[in-house]
Amino acid sequence: MLKYIFKRVMQAIPMLIIISIICFGLIQLAPYDAVDAMTTPNMSEKTVELIKARYGLDQPAYMQYFYWIKGILSGEWGYSIVTHESISKDLSVRIPNTIILVLPAYILALVLSIILGLVAGARKGKLADKIIDGLSSLGIAIPSFWMAMVLLFIFGYQLNIFPILGMHTIGKEGSFSDLLSHLVLPTTVLTLSFMPELVRYVRSSTIGQLSEDYVMVQKAYGASSVSILFNHVLRNVLLPVITIVGMSLPMLVTGAVVTETVFGWPGIGTYFIKAIQGFDYPIIMAIMLLSSSLVIIGNLASDILYSIIDPRIKGMGE
């Protein structure tokens, strides 16, 4: 097992290097660069050259890439060219805020999706299946920002039940109940956004498993439908779901950009949007690299979990 994990980690390293080059290259190809964000047309050429030299922007692109990677490997992600704050410090504050918002929503969506997907798959073609499948199709068609605006208008503005912006009420930063009240609306939006595709995935997997021979054998031995569904089908349905769970790792950091922006949640999403608006390219590169790296790490985690659950996969990878 350790040999397999070591091999998969070694395979992931070149991918991370390629991703870092792509992220850096995309920013270099952008029509605007950091110099445009830090200078004004009234500045003299000498002042512009001094600013370039201060941030290393007068160096060739490969040297800028080298210094950037060197800083990241040493834990120094650079500084914002707009606020001049440390990116590492900002990320250490905002990533936990995003995880507080996204993690409960994703766990709730996963649990509900497995239950609803199993019910829909087991009741294929029946009323329950049509209702669940229809709501899933509707959920896929509705944009998350529209759903957020509707909930804000009804429960935040008209009924005034939940707060509509931010993570805390001013003066109640240490109150857990205040945090929960701020979580309700954005968590609901994220849960409803995550669920539709998961439900349909579990539903289709359940339908496929119910047509397998082992289900017919269990029925022949007199096992009840509920017993077959939860003792045998569920186990096989959850195996591919592990891949989705592993690949959702980046979502915990960057998966709530739209929802965070609508609700003014102080997480990575709002941080990323402000960086784009201000051409703050060190932050943009840092978040792009972080998100891309988490995709690789999530894929790696999925493969390792898969090999633990099903040792045959480990043998295929060797």
Side-chain angles (χ1 to χ4, degrees), residues 83-149:
T83 64
H84 305 291
E85 295 289 336
S86 168
I87 296 174
S88 303
K89 184 179 177 182
D90 288 341
L91 291 177
S92 67
V93 174
R94 290 178 174 272
I95 287 177
N97 290 345
T98 296
I99 292 176
I100 288 173
L101 174 65
V102 177
L103 186 60
Y106 194 76
I107 292 175
L108 183 61
L110 188 62
V111 172
L112 292 175
S113 299
I114 290 173
I115 296 172
L116 293 175
L118 282 172
V119 172
R123 307 289 295 174
K124 180 186 175 185
K126 304 289 179 59
L127 180 61
D129 178 37
K130 291 179 180 177
I131 292 174
I132 294 172
D133 195 41
L135 291 176
S136 298
S137 300
L138 188 64
I140 291 173
I142 295 177
S144 59
F145 75 90
W146 187 84
M147 193 187 310
M149 297 299 289

Side-chain angles (χ1 to χ4, degrees), residues 54 213 228 238 243 316:
R54 180 182 178 184
D213 292 340
I228 294 172
L238 288 181
T243 304
M316 292 170 63

